[in-house]
Structure formats: structure tokens, C-alpha cells
Amino acid sequence: MSRDAMPRRLNVRISDCKLDALSLASVELSCTRSQVVRLLIHCLADGGTRLGAGTVAFDYETSHGIVRNLRSIGTLYNQLVAALNTIAKVARES
């Protein structure tokens, strides 16, 4: 995302152990520390839900993979229904 899309800046003071936890989370999620903070804010902004209470967050690659797989499943489902309709039509005609 460009700086124009995010014109505000946030400065936060945290302890060394909290910074280490943030760095570890960024490594586990394969993103920057800023992206982790944005993700946490995004999760809290969605209706005021708390993390761990029904909120599931994925990094971009994971969510993109899930969407791609769901589209593939939808395509296969449509092909299956079309084949079954063809079989049903042939069975009705004979």
C-alpha cells in the first residue's frame, strides 16, 4: 500500500518483551511489524470484536489460496451438476 493511501502515522512506546513478541508475530505471519499492527486494528474495528472471539485473520497469501481453492471447488461442482443433468436427460429420453 502506498503512503498516499495511509496518510496517518502512529508512534507507540512498548517494552522490549512486547517488541520481541511483535517481531515474532511478524515472522510467523510473514509480514512486517506495521502490517501486524494494522491487522490487529482491523480485527478490533470489525464490530468491536475481540481477538480470539470469533475473529480469524489470514495473511494475504493464505487468504488468496483459500479463495483460489474455493473457486476451483465451485467450478468442479458446476461441472458435476452439468454432467448429472446430462445423465438425467438421457435417462428420461430412453
Side-chain angles (χ1 to χ4, degrees):
M1 226 180 251
S2 71
R3 289 181 186 229
D4 295 335
M6 297 181 292
R8 303 287 183 202
R9 182 181 192 98
L10 173 68
N11 293 317
V12 179
R13 292 181 182 267
I14 57 175
S15 66
D16 289 337
C17 66
K18 301 282 188 201
L19 183 61
D20 292 340
L22 179 60
S23 297
L24 180 63
S26 71
V27 169
E28 289 176 359
L29 295 172
S30 301
C31 59
T32 66
R33 293 185 303 200
S34 294
Q35 289 171 325
V36 172
V37 172
R38 284 187 205 101
L39 179 64
L40 292 171
I41 292 169
H42 178 74
C43 289
L44 292 173
D46 286 344
T49 59
R50 295 183 181 180
L51 288 176
T55 301
V56 178
F58 297 107
D59 60 308
Y60 175 78
E61 290 179 24
T62 303
S63 65
H64 184 67
I66 290 170
V67 168
R68 187 178 56 243
N69 288 337
L70 287 174
R71 283 185 183 146
S72 297
I73 291 169
T75 300
L76 291 173
Y77 176 77
N78 285 337
Q79 291 172 350
L80 174 66
V81 170
L84 287 174
N85 284 333
T86 302
I87 292 170
K89 181 180 177 184
V90 169
R92 279 192 310 266
E93 292 174 353
S94 59

XYZ file of all heavy atoms in Angstrom:
711
model
N 0.835 -1.163 0.000
C 0.000 0.000 0.000
C 0.890 1.240 0.000
O 1.911 1.278 0.664
C -0.887 -0.014 1.238
C -2.322 0.311 0.946
S -3.322 0.273 2.422
C -4.249 -1.185 2.082
N 0.502 2.259 -0.726
C 1.313 3.460 -0.812
C 1.112 4.343 0.421
O 0.147 4.199 1.157
C 0.952 4.233 -2.071
O -0.327 4.800 -1.929
N 2.016 5.261 0.591
C 1.898 6.195 1.711
C 0.709 7.128 1.529
O 0.161 7.645 2.489
C 3.184 6.989 1.862
C 4.301 6.147 2.388
C 5.558 6.958 2.549
N 6.638 6.064 2.917
C 7.449 6.283 3.921
N 7.342 7.368 4.631
N 8.400 5.422 4.198
N 0.326 7.371 0.261
C -0.841 8.211 -0.004
C -2.123 7.561 0.503
O -3.040 8.245 0.922
C -0.971 8.491 -1.505
C 0.201 9.313 -2.031
O 0.817 10.037 -1.216
O 0.499 9.213 -3.222
N -2.179 6.224 0.450
C -3.364 5.506 0.909
C -3.461 5.500 2.431
O -4.531 5.298 2.986
C -3.346 4.077 0.387
N -2.323 5.686 3.101
C -2.292 5.699 4.569
C -1.572 6.967 5.032
O -0.381 6.926 5.366
C -1.574 4.451 5.079
C -2.267 3.172 4.722
S -1.430 1.719 5.334
C 0.061 1.709 4.366
N -2.264 8.108 5.072
C -1.598 9.370 5.370
C -1.252 9.574 6.845
O -0.452 10.438 7.175
C -2.617 10.410 4.913
C -3.934 9.739 5.078
C -3.675 8.288 4.769
N -1.808 8.800 7.753
C -1.571 8.989 9.190
C -0.441 8.082 9.668
O -0.222 6.997 9.147
C -2.831 8.678 9.990
C -4.014 9.493 9.588
C -3.848 10.903 10.060
N -5.043 11.661 9.732
C -5.059 12.954 9.624
N -3.965 13.635 9.831
N -6.167 13.571 9.328
N 0.244 8.548 10.700
C 1.346 7.795 11.270
C 1.075 7.600 12.759
O 0.573 8.508 13.423
C 2.653 8.543 11.051
C 3.858 7.832 11.551
C 5.107 8.682 11.305
N 6.274 7.886 11.530
C 6.974 7.301 10.583
N 6.635 7.466 9.337
N 8.026 6.585 10.869
N 1.412 6.436 13.295
C 1.196 6.122 14.700
C 2.536 5.770 15.327
O 3.254 4.906 14.821
C 0.233 4.931 14.825
C 0.018 4.357 16.216
C -0.727 5.366 17.088
C -0.761 3.061 16.129
N 2.874 6.436 16.416
C 4.087 6.117 17.174
C 3.660 5.510 18.499
O 2.823 6.072 19.197
C 4.922 7.379 17.426
C 5.484 7.942 16.139
O 5.968 7.190 15.301
N 5.395 9.243 15.970
N 4.247 4.379 18.843
C 3.861 3.662 20.058
C 5.120 3.316 20.846
O 6.113 2.865 20.276
C 3.093 2.365 19.693
C 2.707 1.610 20.941
C 1.890 2.676 18.857
N 5.046 3.482 22.154
C 6.145 3.060 23.029
C 5.753 1.725 23.655
O 4.676 1.601 24.234
C 6.392 4.085 24.129
C 6.944 5.376 23.620
C 7.188 6.318 24.804
N 7.674 7.581 24.353
C 8.970 7.886 24.252
N 9.882 7.006 24.599
N 9.337 9.070 23.826
N 6.615 0.728 23.500
C 6.363 -0.579 24.092
C 7.654 -1.115 24.698
O 8.753 -0.668 24.358
C 5.803 -1.591 23.052
C 6.740 -1.756 21.869
C 4.445 -1.165 22.569
C 6.308 -2.818 20.886
N 7.506 -2.067 25.595
C 8.673 -2.658 26.257
C 9.411 -3.584 25.290
O 8.899 -3.952 24.231
C 8.229 -3.435 27.494
O 7.445 -4.548 27.097
N 10.615 -3.955 25.669
C 11.428 -4.840 24.828
C 10.755 -6.195 24.611
O 10.781 -6.733 23.507
C 12.814 -5.054 25.449
C 13.683 -3.806 25.357
O 13.410 -2.966 24.464
O 14.625 -3.676 26.167
N 10.121 -6.730 25.668
C 9.483 -8.046 25.516
C 8.267 -7.962 24.592
O 8.010 -8.890 23.815
C 9.118 -8.645 26.874
S 7.850 -7.764 27.775
N 7.540 -6.840 24.634
C 6.400 -6.667 23.722
C 6.884 -6.503 22.274
O 6.267 -7.012 21.341
C 5.563 -5.449 24.103
C 5.004 -5.497 25.493
C 3.815 -6.379 25.576
C 3.221 -6.206 26.965
N 2.399 -7.231 27.424
N 8.004 -5.804 22.096
C 8.574 -5.640 20.764
C 9.042 -6.993 20.221
O 8.858 -7.293 19.041
C 9.724 -4.640 20.785
C 10.368 -4.333 19.429
C 9.347 -3.726 18.477
C 11.544 -3.397 19.611
N 9.626 -7.799 21.100
C 10.043 -9.153 20.691
C 8.831 -9.988 20.279
O 8.878 -10.722 19.291
C 10.802 -9.851 21.815
C 12.160 -9.216 22.088
O 12.663 -8.503 21.190
O 12.699 -9.433 23.185
N 7.728 -9.858 21.038
C 6.508 -10.603 20.697
C 5.953 -10.129 19.359
O 5.498 -10.937 18.540
C 5.459 -10.427 21.801
N 5.996 -8.820 19.117
C 5.534 -8.273 17.846
C 6.407 -8.754 16.693
O 5.910 -9.141 15.634
C 5.517 -6.744 17.900
C 5.086 -6.004 16.638
C 3.662 -6.380 16.243
C 5.211 -4.504 16.847
N 7.709 -8.771 16.914
C 8.634 -9.253 15.885
C 8.405 -10.726 15.596
O 8.424 -11.153 14.436
C 10.082 -9.024 16.322
O 10.340 -7.646 16.457
N 8.170 -11.522 16.635
C 7.897 -12.947 16.451
C 6.609 -13.158 15.674
O 6.548 -13.986 14.755
C 7.817 -13.649 17.815
C 7.529 -15.148 17.796
C 8.657 -15.894 17.080
C 7.361 -15.676 19.201
N 5.581 -12.374 16.009
C 4.312 -12.479 15.281
C 4.497 -12.106 13.819
O 3.925 -12.742 12.927
C 3.255 -11.576 15.925
N 5.315 -11.104 13.540
C 5.534 -10.698 12.154
C 6.279 -11.778 11.382
O 5.991 -12.004 10.204
C 6.285 -9.366 12.082
O 7.623 -9.516 12.488
N 7.194 -12.472 12.026
C 7.897 -13.579 11.363
C 6.933 -14.734 11.096
O 6.918 -15.305 10.009
C 9.097 -14.049 12.219
C 9.668 -15.355 11.699
C 10.171 -12.974 12.261
N 6.098 -15.071 12.087
C 5.141 -16.170 11.928
C 4.111 -15.881 10.847
O 3.673 -16.780 10.142
C 4.432 -16.450 13.254
C 5.324 -17.090 14.291
C 4.634 -17.275 15.630
O 3.454 -16.881 15.776
O 5.271 -17.813 16.545
N 3.715 -14.607 10.705
C 2.711 -14.228 9.708
C 3.328 -13.837 8.372
O 2.615 -13.518 7.428
C 1.858 -13.067 10.237
C 0.991 -13.369 11.443
C 0.356 -12.096 11.977
C -0.074 -14.388 11.090
N 4.650 -13.820 8.302
C 5.386 -13.445 7.086
C 5.004 -12.050 6.600
O 4.702 -11.848 5.426
C 5.158 -14.470 5.970
O 5.576 -15.734 6.371
N 4.991 -11.109 7.517
C 4.700 -9.724 7.148
C 5.489 -8.801 8.066
O 6.189 -9.253 8.965
C 3.204 -9.444 7.208
S 2.450 -9.719 8.806
N 5.379 -7.508 7.827
C 6.112 -6.543 8.644
C 5.402 -6.311 9.973
O 4.231 -6.658 10.131
C 6.240 -5.200 7.903
O 4.941 -4.631 7.760
C 6.896 -5.376 6.548
N 6.119 -5.691 10.903
C 5.503 -5.370 12.191
C 4.356 -4.382 12.010
O 3.332 -4.490 12.674
C 6.552 -4.809 13.156
C 7.589 -5.853 13.550
C 8.541 -5.355 14.579
N 9.225 -4.139 14.140
C 10.355 -3.698 14.655
N 10.937 -4.361 15.633
N 10.912 -2.600 14.211
N 4.505 -3.449 11.078
C 3.423 -2.495 10.806
C 2.182 -3.208 10.305
O 1.055 -2.862 10.684
C 3.873 -1.459 9.776
O 4.898 -0.650 10.290
N 2.371 -4.213 9.464
C 1.233 -4.970 8.950
C 0.534 -5.747 10.060
O -0.684 -5.877 10.054
C 1.674 -5.905 7.828
C 2.040 -5.176 6.551
C 2.671 -6.094 5.525
O 3.408 -7.019 5.862
N 2.393 -5.824 4.256
N 1.309 -6.258 11.029
C 0.708 -6.960 12.160
C -0.152 -5.995 12.967
O -1.288 -6.312 13.345
C 1.786 -7.604 13.059
C 1.178 -8.161 14.335
C 2.528 -8.689 12.314
N 0.346 -4.792 13.227
C -0.419 -3.795 13.982
C -1.681 -3.431 13.210
O -2.771 -3.344 13.786
C 0.443 -2.546 14.272
C -0.396 -1.432 14.872
C 1.596 -2.911 15.195
N -1.570 -3.226 11.878
C -2.752 -2.917 11.074
C -3.764 -4.059 11.135
O -4.972 -3.835 11.195
C -2.355 -2.664 9.620
C -1.721 -1.335 9.395
C -1.511 -1.070 7.905
N -0.432 -0.133 7.743
C 0.815 -0.442 7.404
N 1.153 -1.680 7.129
N 1.721 0.492 7.299
N -3.270 -5.295 11.099
C -4.154 -6.462 11.170
C -4.902 -6.494 12.500
O -6.107 -6.748 12.539
C -3.335 -7.737 10.977
C -4.068 -9.060 11.042
C -5.077 -9.153 9.895
C -3.084 -10.206 10.952
N -4.204 -6.219 13.590
C -4.843 -6.194 14.906
C -5.892 -5.093 14.982
O -6.991 -5.300 15.503
C -3.792 -6.009 15.998
C -2.843 -7.183 16.202
C -1.712 -6.788 17.145
C -3.583 -8.392 16.720
N -5.572 -3.919 14.452
C -6.538 -2.813 14.456
C -7.744 -3.183 13.608
O -8.890 -2.930 13.988
C -5.868 -1.516 13.956
C -4.839 -1.048 14.971
C -6.914 -0.434 13.692
C -3.945 0.061 14.468
N -7.499 -3.791 12.459
C -8.590 -4.204 11.576
C -9.511 -5.206 12.283
O -10.725 -5.111 12.191
C -8.027 -4.812 10.293
C -9.065 -5.299 9.347
N -9.828 -4.442 8.586
C -9.477 -6.556 9.055
C -10.668 -5.160 7.859
N -10.473 -6.436 8.129
N -8.923 -6.159 12.997
C -9.722 -7.160 13.711
C -10.566 -6.507 14.797
O -11.720 -6.871 15.000
C -8.824 -8.220 14.329
S -8.058 -9.313 13.136
N -10.008 -5.547 15.491
C -10.750 -4.871 16.555
C -11.803 -3.923 15.995
O -12.827 -3.685 16.626
C -9.785 -4.102 17.458
C -8.855 -4.976 18.297
C -7.826 -4.110 19.007
C -9.639 -5.809 19.282
N -11.571 -3.386 14.802
C -12.507 -2.429 14.214
C -13.745 -3.107 13.647
O -14.769 -2.471 13.463
C -11.807 -1.640 13.114
N -13.690 -4.400 13.365
C -14.834 -5.122 12.804
C -15.878 -5.383 13.880
O -15.910 -6.426 14.500
C -14.398 -6.450 12.182
C -13.685 -6.257 10.869
O -13.795 -5.159 10.302
O -13.022 -7.202 10.411
N -16.717 -4.411 14.116
C -17.798 -4.582 15.078
C -17.347 -4.630 16.519
O -18.089 -5.067 17.389
N -16.123 -4.232 16.786
C -15.640 -4.208 18.153
C -15.349 -5.588 18.731
O -15.296 -5.748 19.927
N -15.194 -6.598 17.870
C -14.910 -7.935 18.388
C -13.512 -7.985 18.976
O -12.630 -7.234 18.580
C -15.024 -8.997 17.279
O -14.097 -8.681 16.245
C -16.424 -9.052 16.719
N -13.327 -8.873 19.879
C -12.005 -9.062 20.472
C -11.303 -10.207 19.775
O -11.949 -11.144 19.319
C -12.139 -9.382 21.957
C -12.707 -8.241 22.736
C -12.741 -8.578 24.185
N -13.319 -7.462 24.917
C -13.484 -7.458 26.208
N -13.137 -8.498 26.922
N -13.996 -6.411 26.796
N -10.003 -10.138 19.730
C -9.244 -11.218 19.119
C -9.488 -12.511 19.880
O -9.545 -12.525 21.102
C -7.748 -10.904 19.122
C -7.309 -9.821 18.155
C -5.829 -9.529 18.334
C -7.579 -10.248 16.731
N -9.652 -13.585 19.160
C -9.900 -14.869 19.792
C -11.366 -15.129 20.038
O -11.741 -16.193 20.485
N -12.213 -14.157 19.772
C -13.641 -14.319 19.997
C -14.366 -14.319 18.654
O -15.132 -13.428 18.347
C -14.166 -13.202 20.892
N -14.084 -15.318 17.852
C -14.753 -15.441 16.569
C -14.055 -14.750 15.422
O -14.540 -14.768 14.310
N -12.905 -14.135 15.656
C -12.175 -13.453 14.597
C -11.061 -14.356 14.095
O -10.276 -14.872 14.879
C -11.550 -12.140 15.121
O -12.597 -11.318 15.614
C -10.803 -11.416 14.030
N -11.034 -14.550 12.788
C -9.962 -15.321 12.175
C -9.266 -14.414 11.186
O -9.913 -13.807 10.333
C -10.505 -16.577 11.447
C -9.383 -17.338 10.777
C -11.254 -17.457 12.420
N -7.963 -14.304 11.293
C -7.203 -13.432 10.405
C -6.179 -14.251 9.635
O -5.497 -15.100 10.211
C -6.504 -12.352 11.211
N -6.113 -14.023 8.329
C -5.149 -14.699 7.475
C -4.267 -13.662 6.806
O -4.704 -12.561 6.511
C -5.854 -15.488 6.354
C -6.731 -16.591 6.844
C -8.105 -16.476 6.784
C -6.189 -17.750 7.360
C -8.922 -17.491 7.215
C -6.998 -18.777 7.804
C -8.367 -18.649 7.732
N -3.043 -14.042 6.523
C -2.208 -13.174 5.720
C -2.688 -13.257 4.264
O -3.521 -14.090 3.921
C -0.735 -13.577 5.833
C -0.475 -14.986 5.363
O -1.165 -15.913 5.831
O 0.421 -15.169 4.539
N -2.165 -12.384 3.417
C -2.656 -12.278 2.046
C -2.491 -13.595 1.285
O -3.410 -14.031 0.599
C -1.922 -11.156 1.300
C -2.303 -11.091 -0.155
C -3.510 -10.519 -0.538
C -1.485 -11.637 -1.135
C -3.889 -10.473 -1.864
C -1.856 -11.597 -2.463
C -3.054 -11.008 -2.823
O -3.418 -10.980 -4.135
N -1.338 -14.233 1.390
C -1.094 -15.463 0.627
C -2.071 -16.565 1.026
O -2.588 -17.281 0.174
C 0.342 -15.929 0.824
C 1.360 -15.034 0.155
C 2.782 -15.506 0.397
O 2.971 -16.705 0.658
O 3.685 -14.671 0.305
N -2.330 -16.709 2.309
C -3.255 -17.733 2.777
C -4.670 -17.457 2.300
O -5.350 -18.341 1.782
C -3.238 -17.816 4.316
O -1.904 -18.076 4.753
C -4.153 -18.908 4.820
N -5.126 -16.203 2.442
C -6.485 -15.883 2.012
C -6.624 -16.021 0.499
O -7.652 -16.495 0.006
C -6.891 -14.481 2.459
O -6.102 -13.496 1.824
N -5.590 -15.654 -0.251
C -5.624 -15.803 -1.708
C -5.712 -17.284 -2.082
O -6.460 -17.660 -2.983
C -4.386 -15.165 -2.332
C -4.381 -15.179 -3.821
N -5.271 -14.457 -4.570
C -3.593 -15.841 -4.695
C -5.029 -14.671 -5.845
N -4.018 -15.505 -5.953
N -4.964 -18.130 -1.380
C -5.016 -19.573 -1.633
C -6.383 -20.159 -1.318
O -6.892 -21.004 -2.060
N -6.998 -19.707 -0.239
C -8.330 -20.197 0.125
C -9.347 -19.798 -0.931
O -10.167 -20.619 -1.359
C -8.732 -19.661 1.520
C -7.887 -20.316 2.601
C -10.219 -19.895 1.784
C -8.037 -19.698 3.968
N -9.280 -18.549 -1.375
C -10.214 -18.082 -2.408
C -10.026 -18.880 -3.696
O -10.995 -19.298 -4.334
C -10.039 -16.561 -2.657
C -10.773 -16.114 -3.903
C -10.509 -15.775 -1.453
N -8.782 -19.101 -4.095
C -8.491 -19.865 -5.314
C -9.040 -21.292 -5.201
O -9.657 -21.811 -6.141
C -6.986 -19.878 -5.584
C -6.611 -20.494 -6.916
C -5.108 -20.450 -7.188
N -4.350 -21.092 -6.132
C -3.477 -20.458 -5.352
N -3.249 -19.180 -5.481
N -2.826 -21.116 -4.402
N -8.846 -21.921 -4.053
C -9.352 -23.281 -3.857
C -10.874 -23.328 -3.872
O -11.471 -24.247 -4.446
C -8.820 -23.868 -2.554
C -7.352 -24.209 -2.627
O -6.814 -24.418 -3.717
N -6.694 -24.255 -1.490
N -11.518 -22.350 -3.247
C -12.985 -22.318 -3.260
C -13.531 -22.117 -4.672
O -14.537 -22.725 -5.042
C -13.504 -21.225 -2.327
C -13.382 -21.524 -0.834
C -13.788 -20.312 -0.014
C -14.209 -22.737 -0.458
N -12.857 -21.283 -5.461
C -13.282 -21.105 -6.854
C -13.129 -22.406 -7.635
O -13.996 -22.757 -8.451
C -12.473 -20.005 -7.524
C -12.913 -18.633 -7.120
C -12.180 -17.565 -7.901
N -12.591 -16.248 -7.439
C -11.801 -15.195 -7.397
N -10.568 -15.296 -7.811
N -12.260 -14.050 -6.960
N -12.041 -23.124 -7.400
C -11.832 -24.408 -8.076
C -12.911 -25.414 -7.695
O -13.442 -26.130 -8.544
C -10.450 -24.983 -7.727
O -9.436 -24.135 -8.181
N -13.255 -25.447 -6.410
C -14.317 -26.345 -5.946
C -15.641 -25.970 -6.589
O -16.411 -26.839 -7.022
C -14.413 -26.321 -4.407
C -13.178 -26.980 -3.796
C -15.691 -26.993 -3.920
C -13.044 -26.784 -2.302
N -15.922 -24.660 -6.696
C -17.150 -24.206 -7.345
C -17.202 -24.618 -8.804
O -18.253 -25.052 -9.310
N -16.077 -24.507 -9.499
C -16.013 -24.922 -10.907
C -16.277 -26.415 -11.037
O -17.061 -26.850 -11.898
C -14.638 -24.574 -11.505
O -14.446 -23.156 -11.417
C -14.534 -25.012 -12.953
N -15.632 -27.206 -10.187
C -15.835 -28.660 -10.235
C -17.281 -29.024 -9.908
O -17.860 -29.929 -10.529
C -14.881 -29.363 -9.272
C -13.405 -29.317 -9.660
C -12.551 -29.897 -8.539
C -13.159 -30.058 -10.956
N -17.879 -28.318 -8.956
C -19.278 -28.560 -8.593
C -20.194 -28.284 -9.789
O -21.091 -29.072 -10.092
C -19.660 -27.685 -7.395
C -21.110 -27.796 -7.007
C -21.571 -28.897 -6.294
C -22.025 -26.809 -7.346
C -22.906 -29.013 -5.934
C -23.354 -26.906 -6.998
C -23.791 -28.014 -6.287
O -25.107 -28.119 -5.941
N -19.956 -27.169 -10.476
C -20.764 -26.841 -11.649
C -20.616 -27.900 -12.741
O -21.598 -28.272 -13.392
C -20.391 -25.466 -12.197
C -20.922 -24.344 -11.338
O -21.880 -24.527 -10.599
N -20.298 -23.185 -11.426
N -19.397 -28.391 -12.952
C -19.180 -29.432 -13.960
C -19.896 -30.725 -13.563
O -20.476 -31.404 -14.412
C -17.681 -29.694 -14.137
C -16.954 -28.542 -14.797
C -15.452 -28.723 -14.795
O -14.916 -29.616 -14.148
N -14.757 -27.856 -15.518
N -19.873 -31.044 -12.284
C -20.548 -32.239 -11.792
C -22.063 -32.136 -11.999
O -22.699 -33.080 -12.489
C -20.246 -32.452 -10.306
C -20.988 -33.575 -9.593
C -20.552 -34.923 -10.152
C -20.754 -33.511 -8.115
N -22.645 -31.002 -11.669
C -24.079 -30.802 -11.837
C -24.456 -30.873 -13.315
O -25.466 -31.479 -13.685
C -24.532 -29.473 -11.200
C -25.962 -29.130 -11.574
C -24.389 -29.546 -9.678
N -23.635 -30.281 -14.181
C -23.909 -30.333 -15.619
C -23.872 -31.778 -16.122
O -24.735 -32.195 -16.906
C -22.901 -29.481 -16.387
N -22.909 -32.561 -15.665
C -22.815 -33.966 -16.070
C -24.022 -34.758 -15.561
O -24.596 -35.572 -16.298
C -21.518 -34.580 -15.553
N -24.433 -34.521 -14.322
C -25.591 -35.219 -13.778
C -26.870 -34.837 -14.522
O -27.735 -35.698 -14.768
C -25.740 -34.915 -12.284
C -24.723 -35.593 -11.368
C -24.884 -35.092 -9.934
C -24.861 -37.097 -11.422
N -27.000 -33.576 -14.906
C -28.164 -33.162 -15.687
C -28.185 -33.844 -17.048
O -29.247 -34.237 -17.540
C -28.191 -31.640 -15.849
C -28.644 -30.942 -14.586
O -29.382 -31.508 -13.783
N -28.213 -29.704 -14.422
N -27.020 -33.995 -17.659
C -26.929 -34.695 -18.947
C -27.332 -36.156 -18.796
O -28.095 -36.695 -19.604
C -25.510 -34.600 -19.517
O -25.164 -33.209 -19.654
C -25.404 -35.279 -20.860
N -26.845 -36.799 -17.739
C -27.197 -38.202 -17.479
C -28.687 -38.320 -17.230
O -29.349 -39.225 -17.752
C -26.380 -38.738 -16.289
C -24.895 -38.847 -16.653
C -26.918 -40.097 -15.829
C -23.986 -39.124 -15.494
N -29.272 -37.414 -16.446
C -30.709 -37.455 -16.158
C -31.526 -37.243 -17.440
O -32.555 -37.908 -17.644
C -31.056 -36.408 -15.125
N -31.076 -36.339 -18.297
C -31.783 -36.092 -19.558
C -31.766 -37.332 -20.443
O -32.789 -37.707 -21.018
C -31.136 -34.915 -20.279
C -31.817 -34.560 -21.580
C -31.126 -33.381 -22.263
C -31.774 -33.102 -23.591
N -31.081 -32.033 -24.314
N -30.616 -37.977 -20.557
C -30.509 -39.206 -21.368
C -31.391 -40.307 -20.776
O -32.064 -41.035 -21.487
C -29.027 -39.649 -21.462
C -28.915 -41.058 -22.067
C -28.226 -38.655 -22.260
N -31.407 -40.410 -19.449
C -32.224 -41.443 -18.801
C -33.707 -41.188 -19.011
O -34.481 -42.143 -19.224
C -31.908 -41.485 -17.305
N -34.139 -39.920 -18.990
C -35.543 -39.599 -19.238
C -35.947 -39.881 -20.670
O -37.071 -40.308 -20.940
C -35.800 -38.108 -18.935
C -36.003 -37.798 -17.469
C -36.529 -36.377 -17.267
N -35.771 -35.347 -17.982
C -34.780 -34.634 -17.462
N -34.413 -34.833 -16.210
N -34.156 -33.719 -18.172
N -35.038 -39.631 -21.600
C -35.358 -39.813 -23.020
C -35.351 -41.277 -23.453
O -35.923 -41.612 -24.473
C -34.390 -39.021 -23.893
C -34.584 -37.521 -23.749
C -33.537 -36.713 -24.500
O -32.575 -37.322 -25.028
O -33.655 -35.480 -24.533
N -34.722 -42.143 -22.700
C -34.661 -43.545 -23.116
C -35.686 -44.401 -22.387
O -36.464 -44.050 -21.628
C -33.294 -44.117 -22.873
O -32.929 -44.033 -21.509
